Amino acid sequence: MAFEDLTARARIREAALEHFARDGYDRATIRAIAKTAGVSPGLLRHHYGSKEDLREACDHYVFEMLHRVNAELLTDPGATAQTQQTAKPFGCYVARSLADGSPTVGPIFDELVTMSEAWLARADDSRTDTPTVDRRVRAALVTAMKIGIPLLHDHVSRALGTDMFGLEGDRLVALALLDIYSHALIDEDVATSAAAGYEEPHR
Amino acid sequence: MAFEDLTARARIREAALEHFARDGYDRATIRAIAKTAGVSPGLLRHHYGSKEDLREACDHYVFEMLHRVNAELLTDPGATAQTQQTAKPFGCYVARSLADGSPTVGPIFDELVTMSEAWLARADDSRTDTPTVDRRVRAALVTAMKIGIPLLHDHVSRALGTDMFGLEGDRLVALALLDIYSHALIDEDVATSAAAGYEEPHR
DNA sequence: GTCTATATAATGATAGAC
DNA sequence: GTCTATCATTATATAGAC
């Protein structure tokens, strides 16, 4: 990362994003963030106030960044690979923040759900049967499931035999996800009969 | 929960499971756990030593509990509903521990992956095409995805409009998962062509 | 804008009485 | 087995000099 070229304020933000994403909000300390940014803890406070304020600033920054990336993808769908690569670290930050219970990232999840919803709409169109569960509910679950992968990256990487954020691991994950998403994981009849047991709780 | 009937040692364990699962390891404090258990912080130390030791004891307890439940399901597949209901809180604890990076829960994830693997094997048998990605890799991702749901329960519940651990929410999630798992989410041809872009990184 | 030094609060760990 | 009281550490928050 072009790290030394940034202003102190920006370096602090970058360092905070890194620490919050990797260590989580609680384990990340002001001191460690300041050290990574190459500044004193005092300067961090001068620019951002409290630790909670710093997190909010990071949340807002990522929020706008993702919106910018999204808008870019909509106007120029060609630059997908490069742009998505840029957005990936932010994705990890968002995942961690969502799991950490950050007060301000909720809306990001809701937007991701809306994106999943649009995506599910296409899948629903090619279905022969009618989905029994509201699309937004299914979209919420698909979204949470997707976010679970970076959240458990340590364990996923162990199963892969290679770091899932590395070149090889990244490719493996992408291919596997395409395979998973494009195939049913359980038989439709089995699912239907299993669902029958849930349909009417009081019988 | 039959909470007051337990020995102090057991009450402490139950309280710790609750706090670790809900607040995460870092936010959970010895004092708060002791208070929930109705004992002094000193007694907690007397029984479990350090906070890290307490976590390890919880991990081991849950580990054996899940094995017991699993064995029960294998011998008597009829008691599924009741037994699974009992195991659910432990599932939340495991999910949180995995995300928190507990040193001793790794093997649990690996076992869950193995279960997913057996499950995927059946799905693979009914496929017309040959999966391009190793089954264990896919199983690891499916497992991480499944665990992502309880990890983001706050946000999922918000999307559902009701607590996903409540009666109605639980039913909704179960039905939605059955629907999701039994249908492809993206078109197979689209997936195949997308995968083509990943197959050979250096072309 | 940037630093050093310090105050204050919370937490895990410990010692010792009953 | 159980408690109270205390220590030591760590982290955030703050004040003030340059």
Side-chain angles (χ1 to χ4, degrees):
Chain A
M1 240 175 275
F3 211 76
E4 301 79 9
D5 299 348
L6 301 171
T7 67
R9 192 181 156 83
R11 282 208 313 278
I12 293 170
R13 172 173 35 75
E14 294 299 317
L17 288 171
E18 188 182 318
H19 280 251
F20 285 153
R22 192 189 53 214
D23 306 328
Y25 180 75
D26 299 295
R27 267 193 287 263
T29 69
I30 300 244
R31 283 170 164 76
I33 293 170
K35 189 173 182 183
T36 298
V39 300
S40 71
L43 187 62
L44 195 152
R45 164 179 162 76
H46 173 70
H47 279 301
Y48 288 99
S50 72
K51 186 182 180 184
E52 187 59 39
D53 288 341
L54 175 59
R55 158 149 80 173
E56 261 187 53
C58 288
D59 286 349
H60 273 95
Y61 178 76
V62 168
F63 198 78
E64 293 189 0
M65 168 68 75
L66 291 182
H67 278 181
R68 204 177 56 73
V69 165
N70 200 37
E72 207 168 293
L73 280 179
L74 285 179
T75 56
D76 177 17
T80 308
Q82 174 58 29
T83 310
Q84 277 188 343
Q85 207 64 25
T86 308
K88 187 171 293 178
F90 298 103
C92 288
Y93 174 84
V94 170
R96 191 66 192 239
S97 289
L98 285 169
D100 278 349
S102 164
T104 49
V105 284
I108 297 189
F109 182 83
D110 298 342
E111 285 190 29
L112 293 174
V113 173
T114 300
M115 291 186 203
S116 298
E117 221 177 334
W119 188 52
L120 277 181
R122 270 193 286 186
D124 285 350
D125 283 342
S126 19
R127 276 173 68 162
T128 53
D129 60 336
T130 308
T132 53
V133 180
D134 182 62
R135 189 184 291 154
R136 186 156 187 93
V137 170
R138 287 178 288 140
L141 290 175
V142 168
T143 304
M145 289 164 69
K146 183 76 182 290
I147 295 175
I149 297 172
L151 281 178
L152 300 184
H153 61 90
D154 270 355
H155 305 285
V156 170
S157 294
R158 189 174 62 250
L160 260 59
T162 178
D163 179 18
M164 67 165 273
F165 294 136
L167 254 168
E168 185 64 13
D170 191 55
R171 182 177 147 274
L172 255 186
V173 170
L175 287 173
L177 281 179
L178 285 172
D179 189 286
I180 290 169
Y181 284 151
S182 59
H183 295 85
L185 300 182
I186 56 177
D187 188 74
E188 197 170 338
D189 296 331
V190 173
T192 307
S193 63
Y198 282 101
E199 270 305 346
E200 287 298 329
H202 314 291
R203 197 189 299 236
Chain B
M1 243 174 274
F3 210 77
E4 301 78 10
D5 299 351
L6 300 171
T7 67
R9 192 182 156 83
R11 282 209 312 278
I12 292 170
R13 173 176 31 76
E14 294 299 316
L17 287 171
E18 189 182 317
H19 280 252
F20 285 155
R22 194 190 50 216
D23 307 328
Y25 181 74
D26 298 298
R27 266 193 289 262
T29 69
I30 299 248
R31 283 169 165 77
I33 293 171
K35 188 174 184 182
T36 298
V39 301
S40 70
L43 187 62
L44 195 152
R45 165 179 160 78
H46 173 70
H47 280 300
Y48 289 99
S50 71
K51 186 182 181 185
E52 186 60 37
D53 289 340
L54 175 59
R55 160 150 79 173
E56 260 185 53
C58 288
D59 285 348
H60 273 95
Y61 179 77
V62 167
F63 197 78
E64 291 187 3
M65 169 68 74
L66 291 182
H67 279 180
R68 203 177 59 71
V69 166
N70 199 38
E72 206 168 293
L73 280 179
L74 285 178
T75 57
D76 176 16
T80 309
Q82 175 58 31
T83 310
Q84 278 187 344
Q85 207 65 25
T86 308
K88 187 172 295 177
F90 299 103
C92 290
Y93 174 84
V94 170
R96 191 66 192 238
S97 289
L98 286 168
D100 278 350
S102 164
T104 49
V105 284
I108 297 189
F109 183 83
D110 298 342
E111 285 190 30
L112 293 174
V113 172
T114 300
M115 291 187 204
S116 299
E117 219 177 335
W119 188 51
L120 276 181
R122 270 193 288 186
D124 285 350
D125 283 342
S126 22
R127 276 173 68 162
T128 52
D129 60 335
T130 308
T132 52
V133 179
D134 182 61
R135 188 184 293 152
R136 187 157 186 91
V137 170
R138 286 178 290 141
L141 290 174
V142 168
T143 304
M145 288 163 72
K146 182 76 181 290
I147 295 174
I149 296 171
L151 281 178
L152 301 184
H153 62 89
D154 270 354
H155 306 285
V156 171
S157 294
R158 190 175 59 249
L160 259 59
T162 179
D163 178 21
M164 65 165 275
F165 294 136
L167 255 169
E168 185 63 16
D170 191 55
R171 181 178 148 274
L172 254 186
V173 169
L175 287 174
L177 281 179
L178 284 172
D179 188 284
I180 291 169
Y181 284 150
S182 59
H183 294 84
L185 299 182
I186 56 177
D187 188 72
E188 196 170 339
D189 297 330
V190 173
T192 307
S193 62
Y198 282 102
E199 271 303 347
E200 289 296 332
H202 314 291
R203 198 189 299 232

